[in-house]
Amino acid sequence: QVQLQESGPGLVKPSETLSLTCSVSGGSISSFNYYWAWIRQPPGKGLEWIGNIFYGRTTYYNPSLKSRITISVDTSKNHFSLRLSSVTAADTAVYYCARRAFGVVTLFDYWGQGTLVTVSS
Amino acid sequence: QSALTQPASVSGSPGQSITISCIATNNDVGSYNLVSWYQQHPGKAPKLMIYEGSKRPSGVSNRFSGSKSGNTASLTISGLQAEDEADYYCCSYSSSTTFVVFGGGTKLTVL
């Protein structure tokens, strides 16, 4: 059974960089069958796709966030990470990591429990 | 602004059937059979219920079904149960906006 677990600071100051890690267990992040994704949800609002990474380092980012996002993968630790720079209050959200099927861009079959990140001074 | 429009809320009584629509503002739903549906209970992560328009992952009840007509995708839940009360999100590929886009979500209330 694949499990994903987000970790990182729950509070980030405005203009700073948000950094989160998603640890994957029960499966290899190096698999050719999956992408690894970040999705967020502001409190009381809907879901927003942030971006995906393939273990070979291919990335796809939400164009509205692209200038501030970096998603990377560490195969030795079987985890992948999100960095979002120059954060504002609008970046306050629950951040989820998820596994995405290789051939189906909208198929997110395993999700982490989510971690709330608040942007505040 | 989402490129996928869902009703804010729907409701039904136990045993009844309901349908949630997901209307694309462009032709992406009609052009690609990539719509998926997610169920989210309060405080929980979303759960995949339907993918590629009408396919159910293993373990998902056959009371859940998906369909598509033109630029509108739909999720139908038959034999409503109290445990179905949740938020539901559609998701589609969008070549013109953000690559992957979610609908605004629909709150299902089981009366």
Side-chain angles (χ1 to χ4, degrees), chain A residues 9 11-19 68 83-88 91 118-121:
Chain A
L11 181 64
V12 180
K13 290 183 169 57
S15 80
E16 295 190 344
T17 296
L18 177 161
S19 295
R68 300 194 289 132
R83 287 174 57 87
L84 178 65
S85 64
S86 305
V87 297
T88 69
D91 295 309
T118 301
V119 178
S120 176
S121 56

Side-chain angles (χ1 to χ4, degrees), chain A residues 39 41 45-49 52 60-64 96 100 103-109 111-114, chain B residues 34-36 38 40 43-48 51-52 87 89 91-93 97-104:
Chain A
I39 294 162
Q41 184 172 35
K45 297 187 178 181
L47 300 167
E48 180 181 33
W49 172 75
N52 299 332
Y60 296 92
Y61 296 148
N62 185 325
S64 69
Y96 294 100
R100 199 214 86 184
V104 186
V105 298
T106 59
L107 199 169
F108 302 98
D109 58 352
W111 296 63
Q113 65 185 22
Chain B
L34 291 173
V35 173
S36 57
Y38 296 86
Q40 187 180 35
K44 300 295 186 182
K47 175 186 176 183
L48 177 67
Y51 66 98
E52 291 184 299
D87 294 326
Y89 294 90
C91 177
S92 179
Y93 171 78
T97 57
T98 62
F99 187 74
V100 174
V101 62
F102 288 91

Side-chain angles (χ1 to χ4, degrees), chain A residues 54-96:
Chain A
F54 187 58
Y55 107 96
R57 312 303 194 257
T58 302
T59 54
Y60 296 92
Y61 296 148
N62 185 325
S64 69
L65 300 169
K66 187 174 183 178
S67 63
R68 300 194 289 132
I69 301 172
T70 301
I71 298 178
S72 59
V73 65
D74 187 332
T75 55
S76 67
K77 297 181 179 178
N78 216 44
H79 75 206
F80 63 107
S81 300
L82 169 70
R83 287 174 57 87
L84 178 65
S85 64
S86 305
V87 297
T88 69
D91 295 309
T92 293
V94 174
Y95 285 76
Y96 294 100

